[in-house]
Amino acid sequence: MQYTTLGRTGLRVSVAGLGCGGNSRLGLGSGKSDADAIALVRAAFDLGVTFFDTAEVYGTEEVLGRALAGIPRDHVVISSKSRILDDGGTPLPSAAVLANLEKSLRKLAVDYIDVFHLHAVQDAHYAYARDELVPMLLRQKEKGTIRHLGITESPPRDPDQLMLSHALGDPCWEVVMLAYHMMNQGPRRTVFPLTMARGVGTLLMFVVRNIFSRPALLAQTLKDLADEGLVPREIADADEPLRFLMHDGGASSLTDAAYRFARYEPGAQVILFGTGDQEHLRTNVASLLKPPLPRADVEKLHALFANLRDVGLVFPDFARAPFSIATPYVERLEHR
Ligand SMILES: NC(=O)c1ccc[n+]([C@@H]2O[C@H](COP(=O)([O-])OP(=O)(O)OC[C@H]3O[C@@H](n4cnc5c(N)ncnc54)[C@H](OP(=O)(O)O)[C@@H]3O)[C@@H](O)[C@H]2O)c1
């Protein structure tokens, strides 16, 4: 494993971080058992993964806590989150966010959370989060229940990273979580220059999601983009559109390309990967430890896709059936 320092938190963390949310939820999302999820977390730890990201809404805090029990607390870095809106979309009072933090501590069975985030904050709610919730969180930091404060974006609702652009002007955030992938390169302009200048740690999500784990979805997305004149027609018409990345000395698969592309972006620190599959765990960690993709391939990805926005950020099933207010909160948060 390779390790890095997470911004000005000073925390040493593995560059590969196990995401306990997304559609995999450690495998619980596809019907696997708690025992399978615990085995997956332990296998990740055995491979050197020390960064684990969960959240109140994922339903994986308890199983993560059980999996990490017995490992000395300072050998792992735990990241969790509280939502800031209720099921009807009304901002939660700080007492409710504090109650969520206390619930997370109980479920994880820990005395403190290394990085505690406000979850999927939209730009319209940012000022509320900073002015009403951060003072309470800073008091918790003084008490020691939180070590560092973070904020995560809601990518499909904020494809231009407006919330993070504002948040990075405020000194309270030590860590941010953002969506970044081969066809969502906006943060190279909007986020990474600010995090690097200000010593803010970065956690990258959505690096593969479904656009690079389902070839048919990638092919359809490229056809749609070509129809809009946003990518060259010959790329969209190719049998395997990103085949140019796969060659001797290049990537071995689409997911290999996606994780390596993100890993070596200047400003990228922890690459989160979500999986419920031990084989994917091993190949993803191996990808993240390989050298960068060849420079010519990265330049081609920049030339082809740098100007795209709002691509590959929704789960495909939700793209066809937009959620309503009746959709369970956890799904709305995750899918949009
Ligand atoms: N707003 C927020 O704060 C927010 C929102 C979303 C996510 N997150 C965090 O970010 C983490 C990472 O996001 P993500 O879960 O979407 O991760 P991701 O790594 O970008 O994508 C995971 C998807 O790719 C599949 N996959 C993973 N490795 C694969 C491989 N080698 N081959 C084929 N398919 C593979 C997974 O299925 P398998 O299970 O089959 O491997 C899963 O469907 C989440 O787990 C969560 O902790 C935060």
Side-chain angles (χ1 to χ4, degrees):
M1 183 50 65
Q2 291 164 8
Y3 297 88
T4 188
T5 301
L6 188 61
R8 61 177 191 270
T9 68
L11 291 169
R12 289 296 288 172
V13 289
S14 54
V15 297
L18 182 60
C20 305
N23 51 2
S24 298
R25 296 174 52 244
L26 298 176
L28 301 182
S30 57
K32 291 194 175 167
S33 67
D34 283 8
D36 293 330
I38 288 170
L40 185 89
V41 172
R42 296 299 299 216
F45 182 76
D46 290 346
L47 287 170
V49 173
T50 59
F51 191 94
F52 298 88
D53 176 65
T54 182
E56 165 219 357
V57 295
Y58 298 164
T60 53
E61 287 178 313
E62 201 168 334
V63 84
L64 178 65
R66 284 165 58 202
L68 298 180
I71 296 173
R73 180 65 187 83
D74 60 353
H75 289 201
V76 291
V77 173
I78 299 176
S79 152
S80 194
K81 327 184 183 75
S82 169
R83 54 179 161 154
I84 71 160
L85 304 179
D86 69 16
D87 282 353
T90 304
L92 291 174
S94 70
V97 174
L98 175 59
N100 284 341
L101 165 62
E102 289 167 344
K103 212 180 330 161
S104 291
L105 290 164
R106 274 197 306 279
K107 288 196 166 170
L108 284 158
V110 294
D111 299 328
Y112 66 89
I113 290 170
D114 299 274
V115 186
F116 192 71
H117 308 260
L118 295 180
H119 197 167
V121 177
Q122 297 170 49
D123 197 44
H125 303 125
Y126 176 69
Y128 175 82
R130 179 194 55 204
D131 299 341
E132 301 298 326
L133 305 178
V134 166
M136 177 277 292
L137 293 173
L138 291 176
R139 284 195 294 279
Q140 289 302 310
K141 203 175 146 187
E142 276 168 26
K143 279 182 67 179
T145 57
I146 295 175
R147 290 280 158 92
H148 304 282
L149 215 56
I151 190 162
T152 81
E153 65 171 349
S154 178
R157 288 202 165 98
D158 188 5
D160 301 309
Q161 301 87 41
L162 289 179
M163 185 283 290
L164 285 179
S165 308
H166 291 138
L168 287 165
D170 291 321
C172 51
W173 311 110
E174 299 163 272
V175 179
V176 296
M177 187 183 296
L178 64 144
Y180 185 69
H181 64 64
M182 294 191 287
M183 295 171 67
N184 183 55
Q185 300 176 20
R188 296 184 76 217
R189 298 182 296 274
T190 56
V191 177
F192 293 127
L194 297 174
T195 56
M196 286 192 284
R198 291 166 198 181
V200 175
T202 58
L203 310 174
L204 274 54
M205 60 176 164
F206 288 52
V207 169
V208 161
R209 270 267 146 151
N210 294 118
I211 189 162
F212 303 118
S213 63
R214 294 193 195 177
L217 178 64
L218 175 66
Q220 186 57 52
T221 302
L222 283 165
K223 284 195 190 335
D224 294 346
L225 291 168
D227 289 347
E228 292 176 59
L230 295 172
V231 300
R233 174 62 61 191
E234 60 271 21
I235 288 280
D237 283 349
D239 284 344
E240 286 180 72
L242 300 189
R243 185 79 189 81
F244 69 86
L245 294 169
M246 267 68 84
H247 57 87
D248 275 354
S252 56
S253 68
L254 265 181
T255 54
D256 182 64
Y259 286 121
R260 290 165 69 189
F261 175 81
R263 160 85 174 88
Y264 292 99
E265 175 61 36
Q269 295 186 331
V270 174
I271 310 304
L272 295 171
F273 63 96
T275 189
D277 181 308
Q278 291 229 12
E279 190 50 39
H280 290 171
L281 162 73
R282 277 186 284 279
T283 50
N284 295 348
V285 167
S287 292
L288 288 166
L289 298 181
K290 286 186 196 168
L293 297 176
R295 177 186 288 264
D297 292 348
V298 174
E299 285 172 358
K300 188 161 177 181
L301 288 168
H302 288 162
L304 283 170
F305 302 138
N307 294 323
L308 297 180
R309 65 187 283 284
D310 205 2
V311 171
L313 302 179
V314 287
F315 285 145
D317 303 336
F318 266 59
R320 284 196 300 276
F323 59 80
S324 73
I325 202 73
T327 308
Y329 184 86
V330 60
E331 290 179 21
R332 279 190 276 140
L333 193 61
E334 281 299 286
H335 292 269
R336 296 293 297 174

